[in-house]
Amino acid sequence: MSEILQKHSLLEPDALEWNWFEVGKGGTGIHSRLNLVGHTLTDPALPNSLRACRPNGHPHAEMGEIIVLGSGTWFDASGTAHNEYRLVELMVSPDEIGPSAELSVYHDVWGLCDFRGNPHPAIHAANAPRLSSALRELVQALGVEAELGEPTYYGRADSYELEAADIIDGRGPDLTDAVFG
C-alpha cells in the first residue's frame, strides 16, 4: 500500500506509531513510535523491531492499529510542489479477525474549494486526480472495494474523490471556524 502512495508522491513513510493493548483487558495507555531511519517497510527485520518495542510491564501486550506517518507532495496553482507532513495518513490494523486499512486526508487540496470557501480549480486539478488514481490502485492491489469513511466537518468521501462542496454565490463553505483546523 505504501508503495502505491509513494508512487503518487502522497506518502513518503518516515515513522510508524501504534498503541498496545492486552486481550481481555483493553488498552494499556502506552504508545510506541519507530522512526524508519535505516528501515524500509519491506525490511524483513521491521516486524521484530516493532515487537521489540513491547512495554516491559506488559509482556502479553499486542500491537493495535499502526499509523504510517510521513510527508507527501501537493501542487499549488502555478504547479509548484510543496512537501507537507501528514498530507495523507495510512492506518493499518493487524486484527486477526480481519486486517483493515484506512486512508485519511488532512488538506484542502483535494476539494474544489479551500477551507475558506475560495474555489481553487487549478489546485484541485493538480492534486485530486493523483489521490483518485492511488485509491483505485489500492482497491485493485487489495482485491476489495473500499468502504467510504464517515463524513467530517471538512468533507465526505464520494467514490474515489471528495464530494463536491455546495457553491453558493461563487463560494464554497467557510470551514475555518472549526476548533480542530
Side-chain angles (χ1 to χ4, degrees):
M1 292 174 64
S2 70
E3 288 175 2
I4 291 169
L5 296 172
Q6 282 178 288
K7 180 178 106 176
H8 291 277
S9 300
L10 297 173
L11 177 62
E12 184 65 41
D14 65 15
L16 301 175
E17 283 187 359
W18 65 96
N19 58 6
W20 294 94
F21 71 94
E22 291 188 46
V23 175
K25 293 183 180 179
T28 63
I30 300 170
H31 291 78
S32 295
R33 178 183 177 110
L34 180 71
N35 290 331
L36 293 173
V37 175
H39 290 284
T40 64
L41 293 178
T42 58
D43 182 349
L46 186 60
N48 287 334
S49 295
L50 271 65
R51 285 190 284 277
C53 296
R54 179 177 282 121
N56 285 335
H58 300 273
H60 301 293
E62 297 184 24
M63 288 182 278
E65 298 170 337
I66 301 168
I67 301 172
V68 182
L69 299 171
S71 297
T73 301
W74 66 275
F75 297 92
D76 65 22
S78 67
T80 303
H82 298 270
N83 195 37
E84 183 89 22
Y85 185 66
R86 290 181 111 164
L87 182 68
V88 302
E89 184 178 276
L90 176 62
M91 185 276 303
V92 293
S93 176
D95 194 316
E96 291 178 6
I97 295 172
S100 64
E102 180 177 303
L103 187 68
S104 301
V105 297
Y106 298 103
H107 207 290
D108 60 7
V109 300
W110 318 114
L112 291 168
C113 299
D114 66 18
F115 288 145
R116 289 180 178 79
N118 299 314
H120 59 189
I123 291 174
H124 175 264
N127 295 287
R130 293 184 308 123
L131 178 61
S132 180
S133 292
L135 290 170
R136 290 177 195 282
E137 288 179 40
L138 286 169
V139 164
Q140 184 177 19
L142 296 172
V144 63
E145 190 61 41
E147 294 179 19
L148 300 180
E150 295 294 320
T152 70
Y153 184 72
Y154 298 99
R156 169 192 310 260
D158 181 15
S159 188
Y160 297 103
E161 55 191 37
L162 288 182
E163 184 177 89
D166 291 332
I167 306 293
I168 299 171
D169 294 330
R171 294 181 50 83
D174 184 344
L175 306 172
T176 59
D177 62 341
V179 175
F180 305 107

